[in-house]
């Protein structure tokens, strides 16, 4: 290819504070329109913004986690423009002095390993939402989202392939969640991405003309949009035609990008330091303590899990969300346990039954302590896998207590050997043809007999025991 | 009773020679008789006010009163009052009824004050003659062809005419002090951050300060003690202890160092009558033992342009929220949101407001920012430093409040820059964030003249003390406008 691809990414992450960046209104997603909107959020006359300290703390955590420069003297500025979802006619943001600058994130998968430079991360308030109702010929404004804290994270134009871009986004997404500062829910708008992409002649130092892409609502769509745009630009450049600097929207239906607005007349936001807010007093925050108390971060966790001998897919599962990892860690903290067995069960039956009932590890219907008991029992073989699965299902659907189920099972006598033997004898006596077929070499009959014995035992017998007994009787 | 100060009223109330009902009734009568002054935009229901007065009398009788129990006051119409229309003197907010109230209103109400109404003002506090109000000009109670000043036009006029015993005001470039001077009453602009701005509808955020207008420095001290203090709803309010101002008014003036800037007293800056009145006032201080220090104000010529540039820039963004979508004037039957917002703002704002928004917007554009706004910020710091340096050698800085007595109504509209220039003495305190007071020091042809005293940050006690001492030795503050209109 005669063109190099250059990508820069801007992520807006909603910080998981209880209240908004400048007011005490709550930030819960999905509330009825305008029920989580204070007069400050709605820009009513005479109201004033007051900074939410928790948001600053979260931004600091991010800055420390990416080894960024924490800017001791930083302040808020007003970004001025008129739009119905912007109640004050300006957005309180940061421009000249962001809270964080010059950090980095290491990305790696099997094939590549790279350091991605994050030029800046700054705090700003989110805007409201417009809901269009073409049928009734009107648009409606919901200000619940107005004022929610955002951390805008901007990379340098240092991503050189779409793979790198997606890997960076996934790594960033994971980091934010493991820091506990953003829930990363893209459907709810907690993690939003705009991409800038340009092409330049291979090996050239000079960047080409970039196009901004918006409306990218999932990793899959981001990949599609970048791919399409890369091809579109390549086609133009191959024909000797220039790429215009513009903003394009991604259309999910067609998988293409189309022009939203031309950036030749870039908007002048007339930034002005916000006179209602003091510069952020970072001296209040003990950065060293904050850094030491950061939760264990994905790349550290990955290393330790690798050292424990877990497989790549298992590690991926555990690090897919903080809830997954935290639950695993909580179980491990209960005592000695077979890690592989534990992860196998978490990733397999446990995850499956949770997913089936639209739940996850953030709020499981059993405690880590109870789950530890289950895995222990499996390890000691005092319960069977079959029964264990049933117990998990019961915990999810009926709210039964997992530990009680396990305990009961261990007390209950399994079907005594004598009874099984008696049954097997009768079974074989009543099915002489099958016995003969098996002895002639039809292995499948064995499975048929196993099934019959299991059914008789109602799952309350050790499969290995059944297997051994049957073999004994058949030979 | 018309010229009762709060202190006098409180004495009479506690003695039982006066009741709140009588006081409020009297004020309501004054209001009715002085409708022509157009000092009030909104008036509360008389029955409601009298009921409050009755309750105040009962509370006092039971020994349960607070500082201002039963004292009738009015609020400038840019302070949000719950359930009571708050217009900012503008068509844009002509029907805006706030569901929350300004902290200063809350504090005064909690202290027992009875709100009688909302006072007229220059639109969005932009103006110094009262003539930019959508609700018509306020008249000066001393002479009805003359301006009461602005932007707290109605507040000063109301106190002078006895419509209430005190009024709240806001001061961004002199909007409390200048009308106080023109109306012969006392007005205080506290240190920036001394009083909460929550609920004060913003004009220029880094200058705006809530303050009070009353008949005497003694009254101002009482009022300041109640309204001062940090507010967690205003991030620019400061956590600084509130002294017991009323108990600090009796320090001797002996040895007090008073700075007189040479530039404040040169011939061209103020009319002879103003300069003479200030001279006479300074002599009173000297006779009481104060020392005079002459100082320079190298940057005085930059005060007015620096103020207007920054104030207009801040105003342009503060007023961007008036788009007709959530509150305020909304023009109907437009095709697009853009049209609706454009027409609502065009119709809702008067010409002075538009002028300042445009000037401010211009100053903040990318190509002008460095040379205009940023440069003004730097100059502001120089102006502040120069003033603060004076206060390392002096306790107070004295000068005229205004270059002239009140102008005739109708002059200002024809010549903006002259009007802006008349703020020369007052804008410095807003630029530096320091406290300043204006008190009456004489008359010229029955029009009041005012003197301004400034001090360093949080030195309101010094200001009030000096003003009170002066008012003990003189009686300019005791004059009230004639009840019948006087023609010049």
């Amino acid at each position: 290819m005669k063109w190099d691809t250059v990508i820069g990414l801007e992520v807006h992450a909603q910080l998981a504070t209880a209240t908004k960046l400048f007011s005490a209104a709550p930030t819960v997603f999905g509330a009825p329109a305008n029920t989580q909107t204070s007069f400050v959020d709605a820009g009513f006359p005479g109201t004033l913004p007051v900074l939410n300290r928790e948001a600053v703390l979260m931004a600091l955590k991010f800055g420390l986690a990416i080894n960024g420069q924490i800017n001791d003297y930083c302040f808020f500025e007003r970004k001025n423009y008129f739009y119905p979802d912007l109640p004050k006619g300006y957005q309180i943001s940061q421009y000249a002095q962001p809270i964080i600058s010059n950090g980095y994130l290491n990305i790696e998968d099997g094939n590549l390993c790279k350091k991605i430079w994050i030029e800046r991360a700054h705090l700003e308030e989110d805007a409201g939402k417009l809901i269009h109702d073409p049928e009734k010929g009107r648009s409606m404004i919901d200000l619940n989202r107005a004022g929610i804290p955002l951390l805008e994270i901007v990379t340098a134009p240092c991503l050189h392939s779409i793979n790198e871009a997606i890997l960076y986004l996934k790594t960033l997404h994971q980091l934010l969640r493991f820091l506990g500062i953003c829930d990363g829910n893209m459907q709810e708008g907690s993690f939003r991405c705009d991409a800038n992409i340009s092409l330049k002649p291979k090996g050239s130092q000079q960047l080409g003309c970039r196009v901004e892409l918006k409306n990218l609502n999932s990793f899959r769509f981001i990949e599609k949009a970048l791919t399409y745009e890369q091809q579109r630009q390549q086609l133009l450049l191959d024909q000797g035609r220039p790429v215009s600097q513009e903003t394009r929207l991604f259309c999910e239906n067609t998988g293409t990008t189309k022009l939203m607005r031309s950036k030749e007349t870039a908007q002048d936001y007339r930034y002005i330091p916000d006179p209602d807010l003091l510069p952020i007093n970072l001296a209040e925050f003990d950065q060293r303590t904050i850094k030491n108390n950061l939760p264990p971060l994905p790349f550290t966790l990955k290393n330790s899990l690798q050292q424990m001998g877990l497989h790549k897919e298992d590690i991926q599962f555990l690090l897919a969300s903080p809830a997954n990892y935290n639950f695993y860690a909580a179980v491990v903290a209960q005592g000695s346990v077979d890690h592989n067995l534990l992860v196998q069960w978490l990733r397999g039956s446990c995850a499956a039954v949770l997913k089936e009932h639209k739940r996850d590890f953030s709020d499981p219907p059993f405690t880590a302590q109870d789950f530890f008991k289950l895995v222990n029992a499996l390890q000691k073989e005092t319960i069977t896998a079959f029964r264990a699965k049933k117990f998990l299902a019961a915990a999810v659907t009926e709210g039964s207590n997992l530990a009680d189920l396990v305990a009961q099972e261990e007390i209950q006598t399994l079907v005594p050997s004598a009874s099984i033997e008696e049954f097997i004898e009768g079974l074989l006596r009543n099915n002489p043809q099958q016995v003969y077929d098996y002895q002639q070499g039809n292995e499948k009959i064995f499975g048929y007999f196993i099934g019959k014995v299991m059914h008789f035992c109602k799952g309350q017998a050790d499969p290995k025991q059944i297997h051994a007994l049957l073999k004994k009787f058949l030979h | 009773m018309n010229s009762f100060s709060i202190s006098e009223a409180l004495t009479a109330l506690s003695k039982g020679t006066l009741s709140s009902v009588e006081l409020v009734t009297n004020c309501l009568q004054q209001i009715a008789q002085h409708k022509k002054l157009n000092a009030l935009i909104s008036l509360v229901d008389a029955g409601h006010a009298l009921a409050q007065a009755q309750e105040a009398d009962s509370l006092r009788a039971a020994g349960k009163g607070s500082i201002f129990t039963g004292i009738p006051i009015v609020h400038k119409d840019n302070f949000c009052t719950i359930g009571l229309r708050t217009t900012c003197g503008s068509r844009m907010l002509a029907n805006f009824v706030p569901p929350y109230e300004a902290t200063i209103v809350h504090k005064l109400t909690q202290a027992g004050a009875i709100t009688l109404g909302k006072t007229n003002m220059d639109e969005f506090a932009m103006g110094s003659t009262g003539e930019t109000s959508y609700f018509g000009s306020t008249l000066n109670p001393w002479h009805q062809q003359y301006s009461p000043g602005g932007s707290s036009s109605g507040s000063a006029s109301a106190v002078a005419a006895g419509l209430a015993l005190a009024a709240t005001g806001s001061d961004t470039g002199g909007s409390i002090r200048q009308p106080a001077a023109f109306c012969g009453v006392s007005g205080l602009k506290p240190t920036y951050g001394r009083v909460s701005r929550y609920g004060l509808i913003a004009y220029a955020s880094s200058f705006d300060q809530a303050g009070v207008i009353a008949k005497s420095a003694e009254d101002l001290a009482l009022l300041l003690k109640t309204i001062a203090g940090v507010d967690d709803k205003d991030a620019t309010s400061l956590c600084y202890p509130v002294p017991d101002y009323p108990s600090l008014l009796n320090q001797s003036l002996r040895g007090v160092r008073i700075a007189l800037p040479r530039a404040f007293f040169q011939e061209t800056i103020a009319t002879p009558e103003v300069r003479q009145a200030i001279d006479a006032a300074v002599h009173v201080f000297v006779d009481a033992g104060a020392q005079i220090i002459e100082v320079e104000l190298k940057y005085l010529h930059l005060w007015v342009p620096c103020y207007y540039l920054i104030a207009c820039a801040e105003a342009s963004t503060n007023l961007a929220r008036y788009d007709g979508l959530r509150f305020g004037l909304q023009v109907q039957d437009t095709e697009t949101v853009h049209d609706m917002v454009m027409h609502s703002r065009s119709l809702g704002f008067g010409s002075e407001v538009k002028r300042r928004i445009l000037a401010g917007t211009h100053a903040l554009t990318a190509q002008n920012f460095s040379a205009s706004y940023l440069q003004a910020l730097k100059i502001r710091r120089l102006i502040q430093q120069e003033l603060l340096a004076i206060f390392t050698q002096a306790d107070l800085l004295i000068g005229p409040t205004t270059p002239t007595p009140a102008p005739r109504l109708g002059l200002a509209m024809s010549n903006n820059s002259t009007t802006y220039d008349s703020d020369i003495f007052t804008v410095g305190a807003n630029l530096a964030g320091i406290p300043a007071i204006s008190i009456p020091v004489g008359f010229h042809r029955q029009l009041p003249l005012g003197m301004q005293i400034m001090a360093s940050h949080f030195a309101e006690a010094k200001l009030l003390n000096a003003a009170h001492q002066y008012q003990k030795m003189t009686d300019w503050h005791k004059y009230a406008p004639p009840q019948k209109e006087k023609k010049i």
Side-chain angles (χ1 to χ4, degrees), chain B residues 109-122:
Chain B
T109 308
Q110 290 291 100
I114 297 175
T115 301
L116 293 185
K118 307 298 291 297
T119 61
N120 203 352
M121 53 182 284
D122 280 299

Side-chain angles (χ1 to χ4, degrees), chain A residues 61-70 100-104 106 117 291 299:
Chain A
K61 285 183 181 176
F62 178 73
L64 292 166
I66 61 166
N67 296 295
Q69 178 188 318
I70 313 291
I100 311 289
S101 43
N102 301 328
Y104 62 86
N106 286 322
W117 291 103
K291 183 153 195 175
F299 61 88

Side-chain angles (χ1 to χ4, degrees), chain A residues 190-226:
Chain A
S190 313
F191 184 90
R192 316 197 295 250
C193 178
D194 294 336
N196 290 295
I197 179 170
S198 66
L199 300 186
K200 62 180 172 68
K202 200 166 191 62
S204 160
Q205 295 296 346
Q206 200 177 16
L207 293 177
C209 188
R210 68 180 167 147
V211 167
E212 184 185 18
L213 300 179
K214 287 176 114 64
N215 192 38
L216 309 168
N217 297 327
S218 71
F219 292 133
R220 207 176 110 247
F221 288 149
I222 295 170
E223 190 170 357
K224 276 188 161 197
L226 284 170

Side-chain angles (χ1 to χ4, degrees), chain B residues 357-389:
Chain B
I357 291 175
L358 288 172
T361 307
H362 184 259
L364 293 179
T365 54
Q367 65 256 52
N368 293 312
F369 183 85
S370 294
S372 299
Y373 181 74
L374 195 57
Q375 193 69 349
L377 288 187
K378 294 178 187 176
I379 291 170
R380 183 178 187 176
R381 182 171 289 285
L382 291 176
I383 292 171
Q384 183 191 54
Q385 281 170 352
E386 185 174 50
L387 280 168
L388 292 181

Side-chain angles (χ1 to χ4, degrees), chain A residues 287-307:
Chain A
Q287 288 174 32
R288 187 179 308 168
T289 306
I290 297 172
K291 183 153 195 175
N292 291 340
N293 291 336
L294 288 178
L297 299 179
F299 61 88
T300 314
L301 294 175
K302 188 173 178 181
N303 286 335
S304 56
L305 291 172
Q306 275 169 344
Q307 274 165 22

